[in-house]
Amino acid sequence: MYDVIVVGASFAGLNVSYHLASKGLKVLVIEQKPSVDAGLKSTGILTKEAYDYLTPFELNVNEIKTVNLYSPSLKKLELTNEGYAFYTTNLGGILTEMYEKAKSKGVEFKFNQFFDTSFTKQARFIIGADGADSDIAKIFKLDRNKKFLIGYEIHVKNHNFSDKQSFSCYLDHNLAKGYIGWVAPFDDHIQIGLAGLKGSKLNLEKFVKKLGLANNINDLEIVEKRSGLIPVNGPLKRFFDDKIILIGDASGLVSPLSAGGIYPSLIFSEKIAGLLYDHLENNAPHPGLIIKKSYPDYRFKKLLRFVINLMPNFMLNICFYLPFFKQFATQMFFHERKY
């Protein structure tokens, strides 16, 4: 009999299992994939806050202090803010180290394992950390994410992209309706990606041509491909039940503006571990009742995303000539993130 079964072994699942086991609870993590570094979906680009949280690990990172923001017509704004940076990472390496750290505390893992309701008889509590389209939410009839971005990313070696020190972001609704395109350097390759509202057409080959990297995407030396859903509806209202709680992307805890979910997954999974321990061992209130009071509602970020999505490309181009827009964009990228 386990105290807790965690479904999903990415940032939220690995972090919550580590903190639960550190408190002496018996924890099992089940994961559909064969390993934590298989079938990666995230870009692995960390904000400063996420990087600071993960500094106990031996991180292989590339520090990026400049964001180049491009309009649909490729006018560039160079954005910086002293003391703030983004980090491209070896995502598989980070998750593997988190896995090893959890194992060292006694966490058990079952890979190539799908969840079924028989597991409810094997644990006092179930945590759904199984991503944007959560099976746990479906099985236990909790709220489910309804609004998504879909992202595609390729990792390319031996490229001719000249800017190897900046995080380049591209606004263009014809290429990425609802979000952006990006190029980010790491180690000996670059990450090229597009994300847009689910159902919109994402043409990575057209993006590659626009950047002048190749006339045909097959001419690039692609060493890795990633794709995945990103929930952007904000935190779900009914994300827990008597012996169940959703965390991370499964609970909708992702910024609707930046689509960033790693940092909130980390800090809230640790908090939930503490609350769940008190609930199971000391008859404290259900962790969902407490944690929901501190979840952000992302109201302002939802509004900004809504306004940006309404703007056609010609209006986005005009914004790049407005005096205040650079300051506004700098604040959006480099503000200190509480969540």
Side-chain angles (χ1 to χ4, degrees), residues 148-180:
F148 299 95
L149 300 176
I150 187 164
Y152 297 101
E153 184 179 77
I154 55 175
H155 294 200
V156 176
K157 281 187 175 182
N158 297 322
H159 52 83
N160 63 0
F161 192 74
S162 58
D163 190 351
K164 299 177 183 179
Q165 302 299 320
S166 303
F167 182 21
S168 298
C169 298
Y170 298 82
L171 290 171
D172 188 338
H173 288 330
N174 292 333
L175 291 174
K177 177 69 175 177
Y179 195 51
I180 59 170

mmCIF file of all heavy atoms in Angstrom, residues 148-180:
data_model
loop_
_atom_site.group_PDB
_atom_site.id
_atom_site.type_symbol
_atom_site.label_atom_id
_atom_site.label_comp_id
_atom_site.label_asym_id
_atom_site.label_seq_id
_atom_site.Cartn_x
_atom_site.Cartn_y
_atom_site.Cartn_z
ATOM 1 N N PHE A 148 -6.100 25.486 -25.703
ATOM 2 C CA PHE A 148 -4.717 25.048 -25.824
ATOM 3 C C PHE A 148 -3.968 25.829 -26.898
ATOM 4 O O PHE A 148 -4.552 26.282 -27.889
ATOM 5 C CB PHE A 148 -4.646 23.568 -26.233
ATOM 6 C CG PHE A 148 -5.268 22.604 -25.284
ATOM 7 C CD1 PHE A 148 -6.571 22.176 -25.469
ATOM 8 C CD2 PHE A 148 -4.554 22.112 -24.197
ATOM 9 C CE1 PHE A 148 -7.155 21.264 -24.604
ATOM 10 C CE2 PHE A 148 -5.128 21.203 -23.330
ATOM 11 C CZ PHE A 148 -6.437 20.777 -23.531
ATOM 12 N N LEU A 149 -2.678 25.933 -26.695
ATOM 13 C CA LEU A 149 -1.744 26.160 -27.786
ATOM 14 C C LEU A 149 -1.171 24.802 -28.170
ATOM 15 O O LEU A 149 -1.091 23.893 -27.339
ATOM 16 C CB LEU A 149 -0.593 27.070 -27.360
ATOM 17 C CG LEU A 149 -0.913 28.473 -26.861
ATOM 18 C CD1 LEU A 149 0.361 29.172 -26.393
ATOM 19 C CD2 LEU A 149 -1.616 29.289 -27.920
ATOM 20 N N ILE A 150 -0.791 24.684 -29.434
ATOM 21 C CA ILE A 150 -0.024 23.520 -29.842
ATOM 22 C C ILE A 150 1.321 24.006 -30.355
ATOM 23 O O ILE A 150 1.400 24.993 -31.076
ATOM 24 C CB ILE A 150 -0.767 22.674 -30.910
ATOM 25 C CG1 ILE A 150 0.007 21.386 -31.165
ATOM 26 C CG2 ILE A 150 -1.044 23.469 -32.173
ATOM 27 C CD1 ILE A 150 -0.785 20.324 -31.893
ATOM 28 N N GLY A 151 2.379 23.371 -29.909
ATOM 29 C CA GLY A 151 3.723 23.814 -30.256
ATOM 30 C C GLY A 151 4.503 22.741 -30.992
ATOM 31 O O GLY A 151 4.345 21.544 -30.721
ATOM 32 N N TYR A 152 5.324 23.187 -31.940
ATOM 33 C CA TYR A 152 6.251 22.298 -32.648
ATOM 34 C C TYR A 152 7.639 22.906 -32.563
ATOM 35 O O TYR A 152 7.803 24.126 -32.700
ATOM 36 C CB TYR A 152 5.861 22.157 -34.120
ATOM 37 C CG TYR A 152 4.524 21.517 -34.355
ATOM 38 C CD1 TYR A 152 3.407 22.291 -34.659
ATOM 39 C CD2 TYR A 152 4.364 20.134 -34.288
ATOM 40 C CE1 TYR A 152 2.176 21.712 -34.884
ATOM 41 C CE2 TYR A 152 3.129 19.549 -34.505
ATOM 42 C CZ TYR A 152 2.042 20.345 -34.796
ATOM 43 O OH TYR A 152 0.814 19.771 -35.012
ATOM 44 N N GLU A 153 8.633 22.068 -32.350
ATOM 45 C CA GLU A 153 10.004 22.562 -32.245
ATOM 46 C C GLU A 153 10.965 21.548 -32.861
ATOM 47 O O GLU A 153 10.796 20.339 -32.701
ATOM 48 C CB GLU A 153 10.371 22.804 -30.781
ATOM 49 C CG GLU A 153 11.753 23.406 -30.585
ATOM 50 C CD GLU A 153 12.076 23.656 -29.119
ATOM 51 O OE1 GLU A 153 12.395 22.686 -28.403
ATOM 52 O OE2 GLU A 153 11.988 24.817 -28.690
ATOM 53 N N ILE A 154 11.976 22.075 -33.562
ATOM 54 C CA ILE A 154 13.056 21.235 -34.075
ATOM 55 C C ILE A 154 14.377 21.761 -33.526
ATOM 56 O O ILE A 154 14.528 22.954 -33.268
ATOM 57 C CB ILE A 154 13.103 21.202 -35.613
ATOM 58 C CG1 ILE A 154 13.192 22.621 -36.196
ATOM 59 C CG2 ILE A 154 11.906 20.452 -36.174
ATOM 60 C CD1 ILE A 154 13.355 22.667 -37.702
ATOM 61 N N HIS A 155 15.319 20.842 -33.306
ATOM 62 C CA HIS A 155 16.665 21.201 -32.879
ATOM 63 C C HIS A 155 17.600 20.952 -34.059
ATOM 64 O O HIS A 155 17.615 19.840 -34.609
ATOM 65 C CB HIS A 155 17.083 20.384 -31.667
ATOM 66 C CG HIS A 155 16.282 20.689 -30.440
ATOM 67 N ND1 HIS A 155 16.728 20.391 -29.168
ATOM 68 C CD2 HIS A 155 15.071 21.282 -30.277
ATOM 69 C CE1 HIS A 155 15.823 20.786 -28.286
ATOM 70 N NE2 HIS A 155 14.810 21.316 -28.941
ATOM 71 N N VAL A 156 18.353 21.993 -34.426
ATOM 72 C CA VAL A 156 19.100 21.974 -35.681
ATOM 73 C C VAL A 156 20.583 22.225 -35.426
ATOM 74 O O VAL A 156 20.949 23.198 -34.751
ATOM 75 C CB VAL A 156 18.548 23.035 -36.656
ATOM 76 C CG1 VAL A 156 19.388 23.094 -37.933
ATOM 77 C CG2 VAL A 156 17.093 22.742 -36.989
ATOM 78 N N LYS A 157 21.412 21.361 -35.993
ATOM 79 C CA LYS A 157 22.874 21.548 -35.973
ATOM 80 C C LYS A 157 23.348 22.112 -37.304
ATOM 81 O O LYS A 157 22.649 22.049 -38.312
ATOM 82 C CB LYS A 157 23.573 20.213 -35.710
ATOM 83 C CG LYS A 157 23.590 19.759 -34.271
ATOM 84 C CD LYS A 157 24.466 18.519 -34.115
ATOM 85 C CE LYS A 157 24.605 18.108 -32.667
ATOM 86 N NZ LYS A 157 25.491 16.926 -32.515
ATOM 87 N N ASN A 158 24.580 22.632 -37.298
ATOM 88 C CA ASN A 158 25.249 23.113 -38.518
ATOM 89 C C ASN A 158 24.345 24.053 -39.316
ATOM 90 O O ASN A 158 24.102 23.880 -40.507
ATOM 91 C CB ASN A 158 25.676 21.924 -39.392
ATOM 92 C CG ASN A 158 26.681 21.039 -38.696
ATOM 93 O OD1 ASN A 158 27.561 21.526 -37.991
ATOM 94 N ND2 ASN A 158 26.553 19.726 -38.864
ATOM 95 N N HIS A 159 23.865 25.059 -38.627
ATOM 96 C CA HIS A 159 22.937 26.032 -39.208
ATOM 97 C C HIS A 159 23.698 27.314 -39.552
ATOM 98 O O HIS A 159 24.860 27.495 -39.176
ATOM 99 C CB HIS A 159 21.843 26.354 -38.186
ATOM 100 C CG HIS A 159 22.415 26.757 -36.853
ATOM 101 N ND1 HIS A 159 22.834 28.035 -36.578
ATOM 102 C CD2 HIS A 159 22.680 26.027 -35.732
ATOM 103 C CE1 HIS A 159 23.318 28.086 -35.348
ATOM 104 N NE2 HIS A 159 23.231 26.881 -34.811
ATOM 105 N N ASN A 160 22.993 28.229 -40.248
ATOM 106 C CA ASN A 160 23.609 29.520 -40.567
ATOM 107 C C ASN A 160 22.926 30.676 -39.840
ATOM 108 O O ASN A 160 23.022 31.828 -40.261
ATOM 109 C CB ASN A 160 23.578 29.762 -42.083
ATOM 110 C CG ASN A 160 22.156 29.843 -42.630
ATOM 111 O OD1 ASN A 160 21.195 29.727 -41.885
ATOM 112 N ND2 ASN A 160 22.023 30.043 -43.930
ATOM 113 N N PHE A 161 22.228 30.360 -38.738
ATOM 114 C CA PHE A 161 21.592 31.421 -37.961
ATOM 115 C C PHE A 161 22.676 32.171 -37.203
ATOM 116 O O PHE A 161 23.413 31.592 -36.400
ATOM 117 C CB PHE A 161 20.570 30.830 -36.986
ATOM 118 C CG PHE A 161 19.671 31.855 -36.354
ATOM 119 C CD1 PHE A 161 18.657 32.450 -37.080
ATOM 120 C CD2 PHE A 161 19.832 32.216 -35.028
ATOM 121 C CE1 PHE A 161 17.812 33.381 -36.501
ATOM 122 C CE2 PHE A 161 19.006 33.152 -34.439
ATOM 123 C CZ PHE A 161 17.988 33.740 -35.167
ATOM 124 N N SER A 162 22.772 33.475 -37.445
ATOM 125 C CA SER A 162 23.945 34.231 -36.977
ATOM 126 C C SER A 162 23.888 34.615 -35.503
ATOM 127 O O SER A 162 24.928 34.728 -34.845
ATOM 128 C CB SER A 162 24.104 35.503 -37.817
ATOM 129 O OG SER A 162 22.926 36.298 -37.738
ATOM 130 N N ASP A 163 22.690 34.824 -34.965
ATOM 131 C CA ASP A 163 22.571 35.324 -33.591
ATOM 132 C C ASP A 163 22.543 34.148 -32.613
ATOM 133 O O ASP A 163 21.505 33.535 -32.384
ATOM 134 C CB ASP A 163 21.306 36.165 -33.450
ATOM 135 C CG ASP A 163 21.259 36.906 -32.118
ATOM 136 O OD1 ASP A 163 22.122 36.625 -31.259
ATOM 137 O OD2 ASP A 163 20.384 37.757 -31.946
ATOM 138 N N LYS A 164 23.691 33.850 -32.035
ATOM 139 C CA LYS A 164 23.810 32.698 -31.149
ATOM 140 C C LYS A 164 23.809 33.072 -29.670
ATOM 141 O O LYS A 164 24.028 32.236 -28.808
ATOM 142 C CB LYS A 164 25.089 31.922 -31.483
ATOM 143 C CG LYS A 164 25.112 31.391 -32.910
ATOM 144 C CD LYS A 164 26.412 30.689 -33.228
ATOM 145 C CE LYS A 164 26.444 30.220 -34.679
ATOM 146 N NZ LYS A 164 27.723 29.551 -35.032
ATOM 147 N N GLN A 165 23.554 34.359 -29.362
ATOM 148 C CA GLN A 165 23.594 34.806 -27.974
ATOM 149 C C GLN A 165 22.256 35.341 -27.468
ATOM 150 O O GLN A 165 22.148 35.735 -26.321
ATOM 151 C CB GLN A 165 24.657 35.910 -27.824
ATOM 152 C CG GLN A 165 26.056 35.485 -28.232
ATOM 153 C CD GLN A 165 26.574 34.334 -27.383
ATOM 154 O OE1 GLN A 165 26.363 34.290 -26.185
ATOM 155 N NE2 GLN A 165 27.230 33.377 -28.026
ATOM 156 N N SER A 166 21.241 35.366 -28.334
ATOM 157 C CA SER A 166 19.959 35.965 -27.973
ATOM 158 C C SER A 166 18.824 34.974 -28.149
ATOM 159 O O SER A 166 18.934 34.000 -28.897
ATOM 160 C CB SER A 166 19.686 37.209 -28.841
ATOM 161 O OG SER A 166 20.726 38.158 -28.723
ATOM 162 N N PHE A 167 17.737 35.262 -27.458
ATOM 163 C CA PHE A 167 16.487 34.535 -27.615
ATOM 164 C C PHE A 167 15.646 35.341 -28.588
ATOM 165 O O PHE A 167 15.224 36.452 -28.276
ATOM 166 C CB PHE A 167 15.818 34.422 -26.246
ATOM 167 C CG PHE A 167 14.527 33.664 -26.214
ATOM 168 C CD1 PHE A 167 14.169 32.766 -27.202
ATOM 169 C CD2 PHE A 167 13.652 33.836 -25.141
ATOM 170 C CE1 PHE A 167 12.982 32.062 -27.149
ATOM 171 C CE2 PHE A 167 12.459 33.132 -25.072
ATOM 172 C CZ PHE A 167 12.123 32.252 -26.078
ATOM 173 N N SER A 168 15.447 34.840 -29.787
ATOM 174 C CA SER A 168 14.742 35.576 -30.837
ATOM 175 C C SER A 168 13.290 35.128 -30.905
ATOM 176 O O SER A 168 13.005 33.931 -31.045
ATOM 177 C CB SER A 168 15.417 35.345 -32.194
ATOM 178 O OG SER A 168 16.745 35.835 -32.179
ATOM 179 N N CYS A 169 12.370 36.095 -30.789
ATOM 180 C CA CYS A 169 10.935 35.799 -30.781
ATOM 181 C C CYS A 169 10.262 36.553 -31.924
ATOM 182 O O CYS A 169 10.563 37.724 -32.166
ATOM 183 C CB CYS A 169 10.308 36.210 -29.451
ATOM 184 S SG CYS A 169 10.991 35.324 -28.024
ATOM 185 N N TYR A 170 9.327 35.892 -32.592
ATOM 186 C CA TYR A 170 8.721 36.426 -33.814
ATOM 187 C C TYR A 170 7.206 36.467 -33.669
ATOM 188 O O TYR A 170 6.561 35.444 -33.446
ATOM 189 C CB TYR A 170 9.094 35.544 -35.007
ATOM 190 C CG TYR A 170 10.578 35.497 -35.274
ATOM 191 C CD1 TYR A 170 11.401 34.637 -34.542
ATOM 192 C CD2 TYR A 170 11.165 36.317 -36.232
ATOM 193 C CE1 TYR A 170 12.775 34.603 -34.766
ATOM 194 C CE2 TYR A 170 12.539 36.277 -36.465
ATOM 195 C CZ TYR A 170 13.332 35.418 -35.720
ATOM 196 O OH TYR A 170 14.694 35.395 -35.936
ATOM 197 N N LEU A 171 6.661 37.684 -33.771
ATOM 198 C CA LEU A 171 5.216 37.863 -33.803
ATOM 199 C C LEU A 171 4.760 37.828 -35.255
ATOM 200 O O LEU A 171 5.224 38.618 -36.079
ATOM 201 C CB LEU A 171 4.827 39.211 -33.180
ATOM 202 C CG LEU A 171 4.994 39.364 -31.669
ATOM 203 C CD1 LEU A 171 4.766 40.822 -31.265
ATOM 204 C CD2 LEU A 171 4.022 38.463 -30.932
ATOM 205 N N ASP A 172 3.872 36.934 -35.586
ATOM 206 C CA ASP A 172 3.339 36.840 -36.945
ATOM 207 C C ASP A 172 2.123 35.915 -36.899
ATOM 208 O O ASP A 172 2.264 34.701 -36.804
ATOM 209 C CB ASP A 172 4.399 36.290 -37.913
ATOM 210 C CG ASP A 172 3.947 36.360 -39.364
ATOM 211 O OD1 ASP A 172 2.722 36.419 -39.607
ATOM 212 O OD2 ASP A 172 4.816 36.345 -40.256
ATOM 213 N N HIS A 173 0.931 36.508 -36.981
ATOM 214 C CA HIS A 173 -0.288 35.707 -36.882
ATOM 215 C C HIS A 173 -0.477 34.776 -38.071
ATOM 216 O O HIS A 173 -1.239 33.814 -37.981
ATOM 217 C CB HIS A 173 -1.510 36.618 -36.741
ATOM 218 C CG HIS A 173 -1.611 37.274 -35.398
ATOM 219 N ND1 HIS A 173 -1.130 36.696 -34.250
ATOM 220 C CD2 HIS A 173 -2.157 38.458 -35.007
ATOM 221 C CE1 HIS A 173 -1.370 37.484 -33.212
ATOM 222 N NE2 HIS A 173 -1.992 38.568 -33.651
ATOM 223 N N ASN A 174 0.198 35.067 -39.178
ATOM 224 C CA ASN A 174 0.111 34.164 -40.324
ATOM 225 C C ASN A 174 0.891 32.873 -40.086
ATOM 226 O O ASN A 174 0.604 31.843 -40.702
ATOM 227 C CB ASN A 174 0.642 34.845 -41.590
ATOM 228 C CG ASN A 174 -0.252 35.983 -42.042
ATOM 229 O OD1 ASN A 174 -1.459 35.981 -41.780
ATOM 230 N ND2 ASN A 174 0.325 36.978 -42.698
ATOM 231 N N LEU A 175 1.866 32.944 -39.188
ATOM 232 C CA LEU A 175 2.676 31.773 -38.873
ATOM 233 C C LEU A 175 2.303 31.145 -37.537
ATOM 234 O O LEU A 175 2.391 29.926 -37.382
ATOM 235 C CB LEU A 175 4.163 32.160 -38.839
ATOM 236 C CG LEU A 175 4.818 32.532 -40.166
ATOM 237 C CD1 LEU A 175 6.232 33.035 -39.930
ATOM 238 C CD2 LEU A 175 4.852 31.314 -41.091
ATOM 239 N N ALA A 176 1.924 31.979 -36.564
ATOM 240 C CA ALA A 176 1.681 31.482 -35.206
ATOM 241 C C ALA A 176 0.555 32.278 -34.556
ATOM 242 O O ALA A 176 0.793 33.153 -33.727
ATOM 243 C CB ALA A 176 2.953 31.587 -34.374
ATOM 244 N N LYS A 177 -0.668 32.012 -34.955
ATOM 245 C CA LYS A 177 -1.827 32.705 -34.416
ATOM 246 C C LYS A 177 -2.013 32.349 -32.943
ATOM 247 O O LYS A 177 -2.188 31.181 -32.585
ATOM 248 C CB LYS A 177 -3.084 32.314 -35.197
ATOM 249 C CG LYS A 177 -4.373 32.933 -34.683
ATOM 250 C CD LYS A 177 -4.409 34.436 -34.922
ATOM 251 C CE LYS A 177 -5.756 35.025 -34.525
ATOM 252 N NZ LYS A 177 -5.799 36.481 -34.682
ATOM 253 N N GLY A 178 -1.944 33.347 -32.083
ATOM 254 C CA GLY A 178 -2.165 33.116 -30.660
ATOM 255 C C GLY A 178 -0.911 33.002 -29.833
ATOM 256 O O GLY A 178 -0.966 32.964 -28.614
ATOM 257 N N TYR A 179 0.258 32.979 -30.493
ATOM 258 C CA TYR A 179 1.498 32.938 -29.726
ATOM 259 C C TYR A 179 2.641 33.466 -30.595
ATOM 260 O O TYR A 179 2.480 34.512 -31.230
ATOM 261 C CB TYR A 179 1.772 31.527 -29.199
ATOM 262 C CG TYR A 179 2.827 31.476 -28.103
ATOM 263 C CD1 TYR A 179 2.733 32.307 -26.992
ATOM 264 C CD2 TYR A 179 3.903 30.612 -28.181
ATOM 265 C CE1 TYR A 179 3.682 32.276 -25.987
ATOM 266 C CE2 TYR A 179 4.862 30.565 -27.180
ATOM 267 C CZ TYR A 179 4.746 31.406 -26.081
ATOM 268 O OH TYR A 179 5.692 31.363 -25.096
ATOM 269 N N ILE A 180 3.769 32.780 -30.663
ATOM 270 C CA ILE A 180 4.954 33.298 -31.346
ATOM 271 C C ILE A 180 5.719 32.170 -32.033
ATOM 272 O O ILE A 180 5.458 30.989 -31.827
ATOM 273 C CB ILE A 180 5.923 33.998 -30.359
ATOM 274 C CG1 ILE A 180 6.366 33.013 -29.260
ATOM 275 C CG2 ILE A 180 5.328 35.267 -29.786
ATOM 276 C CD1 ILE A 180 7.492 33.522 -28.374
#
